[in-house]
């Protein structure tokens, strides 16, 4: 396992960074917020990065993807964090694609993945039902019927749900037919299917998130992701891919907060000196620098672990999500405090980072959720 | 992903791996596998060194012959000349079998790299092979009563007397000075020069006239370090490394290696039961969770940080160039690694409860009482030795963040 970037990966990092600086600087995120954009992201920017292979970053070349893997995806996510770029990358290109790659039937993979790669459709993961992440606690039910299932329930906090063409929905199988009753299954559902109602919710980070109401949605066997892989495992794999990428995004935001704060303290003068000359502040920045280094390493380790299907994958992913969440929130707090009054103004960008960090930290399990999962993985 | 992606390179490395594995299996005595449980199970070498057992001697001698006490050093200096990829395979295979290091010393972890970069060929040939073969045990004479964090204010003086230096002064906190044969010392060669410019890096044989040591007892009850006194000690000119005013550069470079190796300490050698294993035994589980939920949370927070730190060690070492080493990034490892180790020992005490308070005045006694407390007390020094945590933060502020006035 290598944790440092090779030359090719460094090139990707540079080109992604440059592109986002140019086409999606933080001011673009601010503009989306101010315009109360319906999608929460820019369709033009998405088409542009689709051409660069971002939508197909995990999709095999035979299905039209770029097949660059999770480490490359992590590099992009980190850069998106740095400029607060809002894109359906995490929802569609990472979590949905992971679920389809690992659990889609041949037909599902062949029909959807090329379209995702080509930027023709967006797919969102509809998992959460509770204010605190608890993906195993599912009330949404899939009742077996002749020729299929009837799906009912409510999902919340569905990333990019409002812009999606398809949803991947977790549900509990209620009928003890050939499947054990009560087990988890995933379904690929057209967003436009009768009985699906999608309601955009406004969040502090202005991203596209939706509540979804499912009322007697009729599905056939073709909608179900491969019953061969246990739904629970499949769900964890899709979520773990998302968590590792969120860790990378959080890292990008933490780095940016550190950098902006360092720059500010080097300019701002009080007591006749630049604030960066005060040791009390120097030590806080230096400590944060170390924390960011640790976050960078564990985020990278998590992406490498997924890439290599490492036996310790679950632990590494949770360690990464917990550490990067903790460090990003520290960075956000330190940035606010060390900017003084101006940090509290909406005009300065720090607030945008504070909000997105909070939101990314909550997504797919916060710091304590993942510390708890690490303990469970270790057997204590 | 391998260091060398070519098919050929891969084959060569895999061949090295299997050959190494077979050799270690045949040559590492069973007694030398598994973690050392007491100080005398670690061989430090030196003129007065004694082997604790025949197995320890055999293991040491076999490794010396292969150059594997210092695998990455060039052959002419007693090493095996392994490149990064081969050396890490050797490390992995040793750790797989839980082989102990055959030799530990400040010569290997601190002085060697500095000599390699700054010493004359004659000095390298004189000292490096003797370090590799464990013949000479070295100690570090940096700190003085008046020069701790502000190391450059040191004033042990080395007066130029033509063919030799005359050294007088006092060092303090010199770890294992009473067991060492030679000391690498920072001395003031020119009191008139700007303070960083008037410092020399001098190698001194402690068997010489005028060198004496006095052990200092620590809160952990043991005396691993000393005061070291120099009274008109004659030191040949040939023992000066670099120029008479160039010692500070060498001192700083050596410190980066020291800091890197101290930073390592929170990483347990393979085979040592992890913290949570102790916790499970001592506290017990209910529904698969430690019954003390708050301690469980602290412990898992530590595990997360530990995983992140291990990944950082690996990443930074991959990025380090062999010539320059880690540079100021060694301060990141030193700072975080030692603070992490202190947290670990604090947790170990919490897990042990009142049993952790038991004490015996003899370290490493058959009755292990006191070991937990001793390790905990000793760990408090981690963020002091090799430059304090505050000093590491200063270095990070200055060199990695480039803050003004740092
Ligand atoms: C276990 C152990 C082993 C050691 N082994 C050796 C050895 O083998 N050889 C050797 O030469 N030395 C050795 N040392 C000495 C060690 O390097 C010094 O103790 C250390 O550098 C600190 O110096 P000091 O003790 O004089 O503390 P001081 O410098 O007096 O520091 C006291 C406190 O003030 C803080 N402080 C000082 N300056 C600043 C500043 N500029 N900004 C902010 N805070 C500051 C320090 O961080 C510390 O908290 C050892 C020490 C220990 C504990």
């Amino acid at each position: 396992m290598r944790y440092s970037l090779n030359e090719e990966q460094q090139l990707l990092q540079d080109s992604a960074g440059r592109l986002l600086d140019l086409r999606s600087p933080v001011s673009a995120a601010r503009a989306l917020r101010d315009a109360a954009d319906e999608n929460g992201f820019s369709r033009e920017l998405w088409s542009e990065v689709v051409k660069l292979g971002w939508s197909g970053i995990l999709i095999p070349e035979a299905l039209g993807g770029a097949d660059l893997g999770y480490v490359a995806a992590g590099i992009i996510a980190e850069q998106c964090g740095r400029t607060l770029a809002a894109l359906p990358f995490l929802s569609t290109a990472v979590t949905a694609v992971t679920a389809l790659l690992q659990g889609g039937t041949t037909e599902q993979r062949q029909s959807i993945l090329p379209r995702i790669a080509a930027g023709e459709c967006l797919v969102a993961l509809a998992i959460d039902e509770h204010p605190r992440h608890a993906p195993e606690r599912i009330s949404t039910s899939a009742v077996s019927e002749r020729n299929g299932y009837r799906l009912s329930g409510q999902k919340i906090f569905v990333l990019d749900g409002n812009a999606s063409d398809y949803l991947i929905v977790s549900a509990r199988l209620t009928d003890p037919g050939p499947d054990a009753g009560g087990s988890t299954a995933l379904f690929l559902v057209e967003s436009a299917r009768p009985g699906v109602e999608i309601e955009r919710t406004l969040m502090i980070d202005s991203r596209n998130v939706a509540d979804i109401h499912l009322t007697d949605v009729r599905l056939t066997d073709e909608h179900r992701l491969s019953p061969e892989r246990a739904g629970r495992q499949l769900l964890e794999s899709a979520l773990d891919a998302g968590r590792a990428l969120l860790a990378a995004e959080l890292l990008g935001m933490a780095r940016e907060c550190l950098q902006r704060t360092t720059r500010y303290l080097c300019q701002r003068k009080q007591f006749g000196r630049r604030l960066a000359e005060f040791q009390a502040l120097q030590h806080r920045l230096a400590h944060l620098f170390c924390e960011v280094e640790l976050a960078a390493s564990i985020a990278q380790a998590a992406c490498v672990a997924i890439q290599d299907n490492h036996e310790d994958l679950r632990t590494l992913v949770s360690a990464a999500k917990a550490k990067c969440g903790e460090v990003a929130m520290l960075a956000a707090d330190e940035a606010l405090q060390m900017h003084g009054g101006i940090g509290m103004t909406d005009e300065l960008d720090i607030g945008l980072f504070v909000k997105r960090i909070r939101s990314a930290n909550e997504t797919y399990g916060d710091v304590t959720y993942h510390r708890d999962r690490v303990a469970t993985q270790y057997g204590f | 992903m391998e260091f060398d992606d070519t098919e050929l390179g891969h084959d060569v490395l895999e061949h090295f791996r299997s050959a190494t594995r077979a050799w270690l299996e045949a040559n590492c005595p069973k007694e030398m596998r598994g973690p050392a449980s007491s100080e005398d199970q670690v061989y430090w070498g030196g003129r007065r060194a004694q082997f604790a057992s025949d197995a320890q001697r055999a293991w040491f001698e076999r490794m010396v012959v292969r150059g594997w006490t210092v695998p990455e050093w060039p052959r002419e200096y007693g090493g095996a000349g392994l490149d990064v990829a081969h050396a890490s395979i050797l490390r992995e295979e040793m750790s797989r079998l839980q082989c102990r290091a055959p030799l530990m010393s400040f010569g290997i972890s601190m002085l060697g790299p500095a000599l390699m970069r700054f010493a004359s060929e004659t000095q390298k040939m004189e000292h490096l092979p003797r370090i590799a073969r464990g013949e000479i045990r070295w100690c570090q004479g940096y700190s003085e009563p008046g020069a701790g964090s502000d190391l450059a204010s040191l004033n042990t003086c080395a007066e130029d007397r033509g063919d030799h230096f005359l050294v007088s002064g006092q060092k303090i906190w010199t770890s294992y000075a009473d067991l060492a044969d030679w000391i690498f010392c920072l001395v003031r060669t020119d009191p008139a020069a700007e303070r960083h410019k008037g410092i020399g890096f001098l190698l001194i044989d402690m068997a010489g006239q005028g060198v004496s040591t006095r052990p200092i007892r620590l809160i952990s009850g043991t005396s691993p370090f000393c005061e070291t006194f120099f009274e008109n000690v004659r030191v040949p000119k040939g023992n000066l490394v670099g120029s008479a005013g160039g010692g500070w550069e060498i001192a700083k470079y050596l410190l980066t290696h020291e800091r890197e190796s101290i930073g390592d300490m929170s990483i347990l050698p393979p085979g040592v039961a992890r913290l949570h294993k102790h916790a499970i035994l001592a506290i017990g589980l209910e529904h698969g969770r430690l019954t003390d939920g708050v301690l469980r949370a602290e412990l898992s927070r530590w595990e997360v940080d530990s995983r992140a730190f291990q990944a950082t060690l690996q990443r930074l070492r991959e990025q380090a160039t062999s010539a320059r080493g880690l540079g100021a990034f060694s301060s990141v490892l030193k700072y975080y690694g030692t603070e992490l180790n202190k947290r670990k020992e604090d947790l170990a005490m919490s897990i042990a409860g009142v049993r952790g308070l038991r004490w015996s005045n003899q370290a490493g006694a058959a009755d292990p009482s006191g070991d937990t407390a001793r390790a905990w007390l000793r760990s408090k020094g981690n963020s002091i030795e090799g430059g304090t945590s505050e000093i590491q933060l200063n270095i990070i502020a200055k060199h990695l963040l480039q803050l003004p006035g740092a």
Side-chain angles (χ1 to χ4, degrees):
Chain A
M1 273 209 273
R2 268 194 78 107
Y3 290 164
S4 48
L5 300 186
N6 65 29
E7 210 171 308
E8 194 183 319
Q9 291 163 341
Q10 243 148 28
L11 280 175
L12 175 68
Q13 186 178 49
D14 293 346
S15 63
R18 265 198 311 276
L19 175 93
L20 293 171
D21 278 337
L22 202 67
R23 299 282 295 111
S24 183
V26 177
S27 56
R30 179 181 291 277
L32 284 169
R33 180 198 70 173
D34 292 345
D37 186 272
E38 175 197 20
N39 291 314
F41 62 87
S42 149
R43 290 260 181 197
E44 295 90 80
L45 179 65
W46 182 240
S47 338
E48 209 166 311
V49 299
V50 162
K51 289 192 205 103
L52 298 176
W54 290 16
S55 54
I57 193 141
L58 301 176
I59 298 175
E61 286 176 14
L63 295 172
D67 201 10
L68 294 178
Y70 288 93
V71 175
I75 290 170
I76 290 176
E78 183 186 340
Q79 293 306 313
C80 289
R82 204 174 52 76
T83 72
L84 295 180
L87 288 169
F89 181 70
L90 180 74
S91 58
T92 298
V94 176
T95 53
V97 166
T98 299
L100 288 165
L101 276 175
Q102 296 194 15
T105 61
T106 313
E107 297 77 55
Q108 286 164 345
R109 284 205 303 264
Q110 288 186 341
S111 71
I112 305 278
L113 291 176
R115 290 173 58 207
I116 290 179
E120 289 163 14
C121 74
L122 298 179
V123 186
L125 224 49
I127 304 298
D128 281 313
E129 299 185 4
H130 307 275
R132 285 185 57 79
H133 185 60
E136 73 289 351
R137 286 174 56 207
I138 303 172
S139 304
T140 298
S141 61
V143 181
S144 294
E145 298 187 320
R146 217 158 37 84
N147 303 329
Y149 306 88
R150 190 159 40 85
L151 198 63
S152 296
Q154 300 229 14
K155 296 288 180 182
I156 62 169
F157 203 60
V158 177
L159 309 185
D160 297 315
N162 193 42
S164 66
D165 303 286
Y166 293 88
L167 301 167
I168 292 176
V169 182
S170 62
R172 201 158 289 291
L173 297 170
T174 54
D175 195 45
D179 302 300
S183 64
T184 304
L186 297 182
F187 293 92
L188 180 67
V189 182
E190 303 90 327
S191 304
R193 208 165 174 80
V196 178
E197 196 188 316
I198 299 176
E199 183 193 341
R200 166 104 198 249
T201 53
L202 218 52
M203 294 298 195
I204 55 169
D205 62 352
S206 315
R207 296 289 167 106
N208 185 331
V209 173
D211 286 351
I212 299 201
H213 311 272
L214 304 157
T215 322
D216 293 329
V217 183
R218 308 266 159 179
L219 301 173
T220 67
D221 271 333
E222 267 105 77
H223 287 91
R224 184 166 167 197
L225 267 62
S226 172
E228 272 119 60
R229 266 207 76 189
R232 193 63 224 290
Q233 298 292 322
L234 185 55
L235 181 55
E236 283 298 303
S237 295
L239 287 172
D240 274 339
R243 289 156 178 162
L245 275 273
L246 281 159
E249 186 192 343
L250 284 158
L251 165 68
M253 293 189 281
R255 261 196 216 292
E256 187 63 18
C257 285
L258 170 63
Q259 241 174 47
R260 284 174 185 241
T261 309
T262 305
R263 228 180 295 140
Y264 182 71
L265 294 185
C266 287
Q267 288 158 5
R268 167 85 172 158
K269 281 190 176 163
Q270 286 290 282
F271 303 97
R273 290 201 263 168
R274 284 174 292 180
L275 288 175
E277 294 175 48
F278 288 98
Q279 193 187 45
L281 301 180
Q282 290 179 344
H283 280 194
R284 283 165 71 168
L285 287 177
H287 173 76
L288 184 57
F289 180 90
C290 295
E291 292 286 9
V292 169
E293 285 299 310
L294 259 75
S297 316
I298 194 71
Q300 175 73 358
C303 290
V304 170
I306 296 184
Q307 181 80 42
D308 296 353
N309 200 13
H310 194 271
E311 55 179 2
D312 225 6
L313 183 162
R314 300 265 181 270
T315 307
L316 282 164
V317 167
S318 277
K321 184 68 169 57
K323 187 70 197 168
C324 292
E326 178 207 297
V327 172
M329 288 203 292
L330 174 70
D333 278 351
E334 289 289 70
L336 271 182
Q337 178 66 19
M338 289 193 245
H339 273 81
I342 203 164
M344 291 296 293
T345 63
D346 183 63
E347 193 187 336
L348 207 75
D349 290 337
I350 294 298
L352 298 176
F353 282 94
V354 170
K355 293 171 196 166
R356 176 60 197 156
I357 285 171
R358 185 81 230 176
S359 173
N361 176 56
E362 292 303 327
T363 308
Y364 302 152
D366 65 358
V367 175
T368 55
Y369 177 93
H370 285 290
R371 283 188 195 148
D372 179 80
R373 189 165 177 249
V374 166
T376 305
Q377 290 289 331
Y378 273 118
F380 68 92
Chain B
M1 276 180 256
E2 298 289 340
F3 290 98
D4 185 341
D5 286 328
T6 66
E7 199 112 338
L8 186 67
H10 183 79
D11 281 355
V12 169
L13 288 181
E14 282 316 302
H15 181 257
F16 177 72
R17 185 186 295 281
S18 52
T20 300
R21 183 174 299 179
W23 188 86
L24 289 172
E25 263 159 12
N27 288 282
C28 182
K30 292 273 173 296
E31 302 90 317
M32 291 296 108
R33 302 185 195 184
S37 60
S38 71
E39 189 87 335
D40 72 343
Q41 294 188 346
V42 178
Y43 186 63
W44 284 78
R47 289 176 186 142
R48 286 165 288 166
Q50 302 268 327
F51 289 103
S53 65
D54 290 344
Q56 192 183 55
R57 161 178 240 133
W59 173 229
F60 168 75
E61 285 172 353
R62 287 170 195 164
M63 290 293 272
V64 168
V65 170
R66 293 183 81 86
W68 282 0
T69 52
V70 284
E72 285 167 271
W73 290 13
R75 284 176 195 278
E76 62 268 35
Y77 305 140
L82 299 191
D83 62 16
V84 181
H86 285 83
S88 69
I89 287 178
L90 173 58
R91 246 193 320 271
E92 282 161 25
E93 290 304 316
M94 283 180 68
S95 120
R96 211 181 56 86
L97 290 183
Q98 300 185 14
C99 307
R100 271 180 227 159
L103 175 66
M104 294 249 287
S105 79
F106 294 164
I108 295 176
S109 62
M110 297 190 217
L111 181 62
L115 290 182
M116 214 79 80
R117 179 150 165 214
F118 294 100
S120 69
E121 198 49 44
T122 318
Q123 289 169 331
K124 289 185 198 175
M125 285 311 293
E126 180 184 353
H127 296 293
L128 292 173
R130 293 198 293 164
I131 292 171
R133 293 194 301 265
E135 289 167 16
I136 294 297
R137 181 165 179 176
W138 286 86
C139 65
Q140 177 187 34
Y142 275 28
S143 307
E144 296 180 5
S149 298
D150 186 13
L151 185 57
S153 68
L154 61 96
N155 54 30
T156 292
C157 69
E159 212 180 298
D160 190 334
R161 291 291 180 91
D163 66 334
H164 67 273
F165 289 107
L166 199 63
V167 177
S168 296
Q170 187 200 334
K171 295 290 175 183
I172 195 168
W173 320 129
T174 326
S175 297
Y176 305 116
D178 51 341
L179 300 173
D181 307 308
W182 281 64
I183 181 167
F184 51 93
C185 256
L186 293 181
V187 291
R188 180 131 332 260
T189 48
D190 182 359
E194 190 268 309
R195 60 192 210 127
H196 293 99
K197 299 264 160 62
I199 294 173
F201 191 95
L202 200 55
L203 310 176
I204 302 176
D205 187 340
M206 297 178 81
Q209 270 277 305
V211 185
S212 60
T213 61
R214 190 162 67 207
I216 306 167
R217 186 169 169 175
L218 301 185
I219 55 174
S220 47
T222 51
S223 306
F225 64 15
C226 301
E227 292 175 284
T228 307
F229 303 93
F230 300 93
E231 278 174 84
N232 299 320
V233 181
R234 290 168 66 105
V235 181
K237 276 282 181 65
N239 289 10
L240 180 76
V241 180
S243 67
W248 187 246
E249 259 321 286
I250 306 173
K252 281 196 301 182
Y253 179 75
L254 185 144
L255 279 171
T256 64
H257 284 275
E258 178 180 7
R259 286 168 183 161
E260 181 187 345
S261 68
I262 297 176
D264 245 350
M265 67 183 21
S266 69
I267 310 290
L268 290 172
V272 178
R274 309 274 310 249
L275 214 46
H276 65 263
K277 294 262 162 74
H278 290 297
I280 292 171
L281 284 177
I283 299 169
L285 299 176
E286 214 175 82
H287 307 299
R289 294 160 161 250
L290 287 178
T291 49
D292 183 334
V294 179
L295 184 61
R296 175 178 186 269
E298 286 293 316
L299 210 53
S300 94
R301 179 174 190 186
W302 187 87
E303 291 288 357
V304 165
D305 286 344
S306 169
R307 290 306 282 256
F309 183 72
Q310 279 180 51
T312 305
L313 265 179
Q314 186 180 331
R315 183 172 61 86
L316 291 181
R317 281 179 182 162
E318 281 170 17
Q319 285 169 4
T321 59
S322 46
R324 297 267 134 190
L326 283 170
F329 274 97
S330 62
S331 291
V332 174
L333 298 180
K334 163 70 169 72
Y335 168 64
Y336 216 101
T338 57
E339 297 295 339
L340 201 56
N341 199 49
K342 288 200 298 184
R343 278 168 59 197
K344 184 183 86 191
E345 297 299 342
D346 278 337
L347 283 165
M349 283 296 277
S350 299
I351 290 166
V354 292
R355 221 181 305 155
L357 303 176
R358 295 253 294 267
W359 192 252
S360 109
N361 281 323
Q362 206 189 337
D367 167 18
S369 59
D371 283 359
T372 309
R374 220 180 293 284
W376 169 66
L377 289 165
R378 175 63 185 84
S379 74
K380 300 300 177 196
N382 298 160
S383 51
I384 300 170
E385 60 198 307
T388 65
S389 281
E390 290 75 17
I391 294 305
Q392 305 316 309
L393 291 173
N394 284 350
I395 292 171
I396 293 163
K398 179 172 182 175
H399 295 285
L400 299 176
L401 287 164
Q402 270 129 22
L403 300 182

